Amino acid sequence: DIQMTQSPSSLSASVGDRVTITCQASQDISNYLNWYQQKPGKAPKLLIYDASNLETGVPSRFSGSGSGTDFTFTISSLQPEDIATYYCQQYDNLPQYTFGQGTKLEIK
Amino acid sequence: EVQLVESGGGLVQPGRSLRLSCAASGFTFDDYAMHWVRQAPGKGLEWVSGISWNSGSIGYADSVKGRFTISRDNAKNSLYLQMNSLRAEDTALYYCAKDIGSGTFWGQGTLVTVSS
């Protein structure tokens, strides 16, 4: 089974800061990686698919990069509404998909 | 408008069974794979199971393999999760999700509580 190691588990940053979250797969998953945002009491929302593609309607301050085993999610300029928990998810290893442990993002 | 409405959750004793349903509308249901994802209270997301558009490919997380069965009825635009031998650690909000990549859509979830 493919394991996803996401870090950090929590992060505190100021409005306007550049924020980076990483996700490492236990084996090569090509670019089969999603990034989700989840706000309290809400279903997760897809932000990035195929490692680097921005989902329709998602602000351009969100971006993703990487392939193989190492992936990065970036918010270029943190906004107050970005406070949420972020998850990576691999979908290469059919028929099992796995999420990272999540990163809780807070405002400093 | 895409809609996914989960139902069937509730309080159940350990060892008992429960069947979740997900009613889909607003898209061509049999064009898409469907998935169940759960979230225990205060915890992260866990992919539970997925099924291809024609039920030809099915997968389960190791934590539920042998106990849970996913199925779909394309004529009824519905997805199901039969959960047997339930354990306390199965307590979670269960989400139904359309596909995984671009265009994915999630329901609001149904809560399953396993407790005596």
Side-chain angles (χ1 to χ4, degrees):
Chain A
D1 300 350
I2 297 178
Q3 307 302 317
M4 304 302 293
T5 303
Q6 185 175 339
S7 61
S9 57
S10 64
L11 178 57
S12 181
S14 301
V15 172
D17 281 355
R18 183 181 184 87
V19 170
T20 298
I21 299 169
T22 64
C23 198
Q24 185 171 59
S26 59
Q27 64 189 69
D28 189 337
I29 59 168
S30 185
N31 66 333
Y32 297 119
L33 187 95
N34 288 334
W35 288 98
Y36 288 88
Q37 175 193 67
Q38 187 180 32
K39 296 185 177 181
K42 299 294 187 180
K45 173 186 176 183
L46 180 67
L47 301 180
I48 302 289
Y49 66 95
D50 291 350
S52 61
N53 293 305
L54 197 65
E55 179 72 335
T56 302
V58 174
S60 59
R61 64 180 180 274
F62 296 101
S63 65
S65 65
S67 67
T69 60
D70 295 303
F71 302 87
T72 301
F73 171 80
T74 300
I75 306 174
S76 60
S77 177
L78 185 66
Q79 300 303 302
E81 60 267 30
D82 299 336
I83 299 312
T85 300
Y86 293 84
Y87 296 91
C88 63
Q89 180 199 28
Q90 69 83 17
Y91 52 100
D92 175 61
N93 186 28
L94 296 175
Q96 276 197 351
Y97 302 150
T98 44
F99 288 91
Q101 301 92 326
T103 297
K104 187 174 183 180
L105 179 55
E106 298 174 329
I107 292 285
K108 191 180 293 183
Chain B
E1 178 191 6
V2 174
Q3 286 196 4
L4 294 172
V5 179
E6 301 95 336
S7 61
L11 175 63
V12 62
Q13 293 180 328
R16 304 296 292 267
S17 299
L18 210 57
R19 188 195 197 205
L20 305 184
S21 299
C22 172
S25 61
F27 65 100
T28 305
F29 183 70
D30 54 11
D31 274 354
Y32 294 93
M34 298 293 294
H35 299 266
W36 289 99
V37 178
R38 69 184 181 184
Q39 187 167 36
K43 301 297 184 182
L45 300 171
E46 180 184 18
W47 177 85
V48 173
S49 183
I51 185 168
S52 63
W53 67 275
N54 64 351
S55 305
S57 180
I58 287 175
Y60 299 96
D62 288 344
S63 58
V64 306
K65 201 174 294 183
R67 299 187 299 123
F68 290 11
T69 302
I70 192 172
S71 62
R72 65 190 295 162
D73 186 336
N74 288 344
K76 295 183 177 179
N77 289 349
S78 293
L79 176 72
Y80 306 101
L81 186 68
Q82 177 67 42
M83 304 186 296
N84 299 332
S85 303
L86 282 162
R87 305 167 180 167
E89 54 265 35
D90 295 320
T91 294
L93 184 64
Y94 284 74
Y95 293 103
C96 164
K98 161 187 168 281
D99 214 348
I100 285 292
S102 179
T104 186
F105 185 88
W106 295 45
Q108 289 305 303
T110 186
L111 182 63
V112 173
T113 302
V114 183
S115 175
S116 55

